[in-house]
Each structure stands twice: as structure tokens, then as C-alpha cells.
Amino acid sequence: MLLRGLARRWAGIEVAVEEGRRILRQNAFEVMGVKRGFEVDERALKVKMKELQKVYHPDKVGGEGEDVKSLFLDVSAKCNSDYSALRDDYTRACLLVYLETGNDINDENRAEELASRLDDDFLSDIMETKMEILEAQDDHPTLRRLSAENDAAYDVIFTEIHQKLLSGCFDDAETLLLKANYFR
């Protein structure tokens, strides 16, 4: 009876190891089992994350070999990272652009290339706002006003990003993501 139980446990571990190796090769949408797109089902995301953690939490394999422990740790870390990425609008949008175009907005060279697309008025406005923030260090009403203006500008840009992603205009969305990054 004990041997049968151990055999079942080991078979389950073998399946989890194979599945874990597959997870490490997948993008966040595939790992979390949600449709690839800007809109994600938050509830489905949470349910999938709980399922994955039930299997891949590193504490689940305390008595296994170092290779299995290491794999489970890697899978758990990837699941946490993917879950966080899909819950954040900006990161999810960057991921969509990357998956569709291969362009990583977080790559320094790519960001420099995109910055050349930004108009001078936008960059000038950003510099003015930064100066206002520096000058208003102890002026809490001014800082609150600037924060509200910043949030409103971010929301406007993100509405545009959302529309561009829905219409498949990934290059335009990428440029807008760079703009949005100035307001984060």
C-alpha cells in the first residue's frame, strides 16, 4: 500500500516536472491560460494562479532532489512574474507589443529609437512638469495638483494605447507606451 502511494506521488511529480518545463517556455498569457489581448479576465487569472501555486509552490517538493526543487522554484517565480505582468496594464501592453512585433520597449536601444519619434512639444512639457515638481518640493497643494494632472494625462494616453492595441496598431501603441512611461 505504501509503495503504491509513493508510486502515485512520483508519477504526479514526473507530470508536474514535464508541465513545469513547458511552462518555462511559454508566454504569460499561455501560462495563465487567458486569451492573449489587452483585456484579461481577472477572476480567471486569480483562479489559474492559485492552481499553479498549489502544484509549483517550492514547499511542495521539500523531499525531492535539488533539480526538482530548482525547477519548481523557477516555475513558481515565472508564475508570479507572469501573474504580476498580466495584472498591470502598462506591463501587459508592453508584453503584447513584444509578442506581436518582437520589440522590447524596455530595451535601452529601442527606447532611444522610439524617443526620436516623440515630438518636441511633448518633451518640452515633460521637462516643464519635472521643473515644477522640483520647485514644489514642500508645496503640498501644488504637488497634489501636479499629481492629478499627471494621472489624467496617463489615463488619456492609456485610452489611446488600448484603442491602438485593439485595432492592431502595435507600432503606434509602442510609441504611446514610451510616452506613458514618462507619467508612471
Side-chain angles (χ1 to χ4, degrees), residues 69-165:
K69 287 180 190 178
S70 178
L71 175 71
F72 274 51
L73 188 63
D74 291 346
V75 172
S76 183
K78 178 166 178 37
C79 291
N80 286 329
S81 176
D82 290 350
Y83 179 70
S84 294
L86 293 181
R87 293 190 70 217
D88 178 73
D89 289 345
Y90 179 83
T91 308
R92 186 172 59 250
C94 288
L95 177 60
L96 282 168
V97 167
Y98 175 74
L99 291 172
E100 293 296 329
T101 66
N103 296 333
D104 182 358
I105 192 171
N106 296 310
D107 175 69
E108 199 173 300
N109 294 327
R110 184 64 182 163
E112 284 179 26
E113 181 184 329
L114 289 173
S116 69
R117 293 186 199 171
L118 300 179
D119 60 70
D120 291 339
D121 290 339
F122 174 78
L123 294 172
S124 178
D125 289 347
I126 293 298
M127 292 302 291
E128 279 182 39
T129 302
K130 286 187 176 194
M131 290 303 295
E132 275 187 88
I133 291 169
L134 288 173
E135 291 169 3
Q137 288 290 331
D138 297 321
D139 183 356
H140 296 290
T142 301
L143 288 173
R144 280 192 292 279
R145 176 185 57 80
L146 290 170
S147 179
E149 289 172 3
N150 183 76
D151 292 347
Y154 183 81
D155 290 345
V156 167
I157 290 172
F158 231 88
T159 298
E160 289 181 62
I161 291 168
H162 187 201
Q163 292 168 348
K164 296 295 183 185
L165 290 172

Side-chain angles (χ1 to χ4, degrees), residues 9-10 13-14 16-18 20-21 24 53 55-78:
R9 177 170 163 38
W10 180 247
I13 295 277
E14 283 183 340
V17 164
E18 287 307 310
R21 288 183 181 132
L24 292 175
Q53 285 302 337
V55 175
Y56 291 103
H57 193 280
D59 292 345
K60 300 287 183 183
V61 288
E64 299 300 324
E66 289 304 314
D67 55 335
V68 173
K69 287 180 190 178
S70 178
L71 175 71
F72 274 51
L73 188 63
D74 291 346
V75 172
S76 183
K78 178 166 178 37

